[in-house]
Amino acid sequence: MTTGLHPGGTPQDPPPTGNQPLPRQAPIGHGPLPADNRPRSSVITARAAASFEPVGRSVATARSFVRDTLQGWGFADIVDDAVVLTSELVTNAVVHAGTAADVLCLRSDDGVRIEVADHYPEREIPLQGAAITMSSPDREGGRGLQLCAALASRWGVDYTPTQKLVWFQLDLPARPVGTRAAGPSLPAALLPLADGRVRVAVVQIDRTGSIASWNEDAEELFGYAAEQVTGKPLTDLAAWPHTPGTSTGIAEALRLSRWEGSYGIRGADGRVIPVYASHLRVRDTGGEPSTVCLLVRDHERAVLQTPLRGPAPDAASTPDGQNTDPFEVFIGSPAPDDLDGLLQRTVERARDMLDGDSAFLLLATDDETELEVRASTGLPSARQRFARVPVEAGPGRYGSARMPAVHEDLQAVPGAVPLLSGTGMRSVVTVPLKVEGRLTGSLGVAAEGPNKYSNEEALRLQFAADRIALAVESARLGELERLRRGSLSFLVEASDLLAGTLDRDQTLALMAQMTVPTLATWCAVYTIADQASDPYLSYVLHEDEELIDGIKSLLSKIAPPDPVPTPGARVWAAPAEAAHQAALRTSMRSLGLGEPTRRVSSGIGPTLATASAVGGETVVLPLVARNRVIGMLTLGKPTDEHFRQEILELAEDLSRRAALALDNARLYSERTAISQSLQRSLLPPDLPHIEGVEVEVIYRAAGEGNEVGGDFYDLFPIRDGVYGFAIGDVCGTGPEAAAVTGLARHALRLLAREGFGGPAVLERLNSAILDEGARSRFLTLLYGELWPQEDGSAKLKVVCAGHPLPLRLRQDGTVEPAAEPQPLLGVMEDLELYEQTVTLDPGDVLLCVTDGVTERREGTRMLGDDGLTDVLTTCTGLTAGAVAARIMRAVERFASDAPSDDMAILAMRVPGLQKD
């Protein structure tokens, strides 16, 4: 891949040439386009270019290039769309067209333009004409252009005789500029009171809840120097709650994206100082989250508190007669530009309109059977956010969220509104949000006192809900669209990663790493070996590595979830219950209560940390592949947290892909294990020790996971003082060649030990190969018998049937063939073979190789017999092991590519008699 970055400047038009672009094809389904639809007026402020080779891995590399480029330019809003479109267009170039792909990213003030070009040499130039109907989304062809039409602001196709270029433009979303809230001008007498100098304590809390920074105003307000509190949990200083009837903990408030409320800080003198706080959750450039807390004295809360709004007028017009949008009358102007901001503003306005102490808003799922908590104020929303409740809770006046409802006193009907349990709220009014008669959500306001609300307040709240229902639904659909685009990009990356390995353990690790922390705080993967086996806990991961061992220990003590093949996520309560019970027992033992135990306890700290980590919602998704449950993917949240429905749907898509990848890895592992077990049976056992002769063998099988193929060797005793040796090459590689290998090796041993000489052994082996019929393979074979002599030499009788000739290295460095060529086996029925006698003097070496060594290639070059001879001449005085190793090093260095053929090297050396 080659890349280039060119900051600044404007795109220059190319000089006229003979290869001007032909008229661009009209985008399918869009009718004819003008000759050039490029936004010439936009100033190009930066460029980034890259070229990618025509191989499959280039698609993932191109996605990473575009993602890194746009994120570096600060265009995070359009990264997902750009990655999806680039992935499709680069796939068309490098996979379908089979050419290199050139990607060019152009940055302008209002967005980004990306061009993808291939180099297909011959192409039919389509003519402009009637619009062509879009092909089916299920088909491969044309899908990239369909996505361009659906996602891009503008797009087009340019053709030249040498390439096709597809470009698309993505505009940045409009960001309204203005104040979030404003109040009227007031006389000085009506302004809130404050001290002569208002001190605002700025405290930053890290992800563990500890204080990371502490400003001078915080020192002045609470009496602690920064070095006294840095690194300590804020909970050590906070006296919670200060507001009556509130049961939220400080830890829960710090985890919310935005929160306002009152609590107390215990000062250095031991007294509790009432404060009003505004919390904002942020993250740094490295992705590390933290919470920024602004604190003032409680009586100065007007400095931080969201301005109160009076009841909205019933008419949609102002006193001066100008028409006003009813939505803006209620929500304020400018309206928040994101769903979470809109929902939070809605609950705040609803609470203020009815003078309540809290408010909440729930959104309906697509099937309108459940409501999901999305925003609240004045409530411990951390434990309730994304919690789901049924729309139809039962018969009666308050049994359905489809109708307005008023509860005068919740103590009279305990559990009527589960969301408010334990919050101190007594009265509540709820109204539905509807769009075109369809339930889209529910809005509620609650107060600490009883009998505060009546049907009149329900009517006012219903009017407000009707004003904001359409805007909320529109924002929700926009959020869903962005989530789905992000999900598509996530699944594309996940599929690439899962398809890139066939190792079972690596697949399990990838499943967990893609899940945590993107979809869940922790996860566990259970695997099932077969239908008769129980689920086995195979992998556990948490975003905090220190908690992994505790979660693994907890899950190993409880029964695994049932392997139900029903698709979708189901809630699994066992981990949270077990963690709660373990924490309770540990706490009681630490207080000297409960049953004594002789077992050494690990302390209450790790137990409570584990209980907090798994105390939220836990769901199980089945891993189903080839109509069989092969495992379960378990996702979990920390204490009192819930999953969004969209996250569960994305996790379900991921589980289907992960299940198939895991099953493929299992099948591959089983096949490899079986193959290697059978292949090892074809290799000879340990080589025998031959007195007076050094022997060394090096074997390399071609192909991934192969231990033996078409090449083979053997060295075995025939009778006392006589040894047989063989080296052969079966035509081809793989299992078919290995089958002939087994036949040849075992037949050689059997026939030689029956007393047959070399020619007779090979002639009978030839007949056995021909008897295999269609399964027979050609076989080149060098077979010999070895007799060590008392004078230190060795006598050999050799038959070379179509095999590369053995080479003899003398002590003076000369190399010569040690046999003559004869016909190979497996071709003719009647063979007339003969054997030749060779004597190895002390210091001589006999080298036998297969053609994988001599036919080693690098382009048009081949090692050949001459190259092998040249290497062998440099081996004078070396041991047999050193000779074989030098030959193998020379073969490996001859070419950079991996060997495409099996290789075997057999070296025998006669060292001679040892002198006393």
Side-chain angles (χ1 to χ4, degrees), residues 251-272:
E252 287 86 347
L254 292 174
R255 283 200 298 267
L256 297 179
S257 61
R258 187 182 297 273
W259 182 88
E260 285 185 25
S262 299
Y263 52 89
I265 294 292
R266 190 171 290 105
D269 57 2
R271 299 196 319 183
V272 175

Side-chain angles (χ1 to χ4, degrees), residues 42 68 77 79 457 522 665 685 912:
S42 297
D68 294 342
D77 292 335
V79 163
E457 284 77 18
W522 65 272

Side-chain angles (χ1 to χ4, degrees), residues 575-597:
E577 293 174 356
H580 175 74
Q581 293 298 326
L584 181 61
R585 289 193 299 270
T586 304
S587 300
M588 294 180 66
R589 285 198 297 268
S590 68
L591 297 174
L593 304 175
E595 298 179 0
T597 177

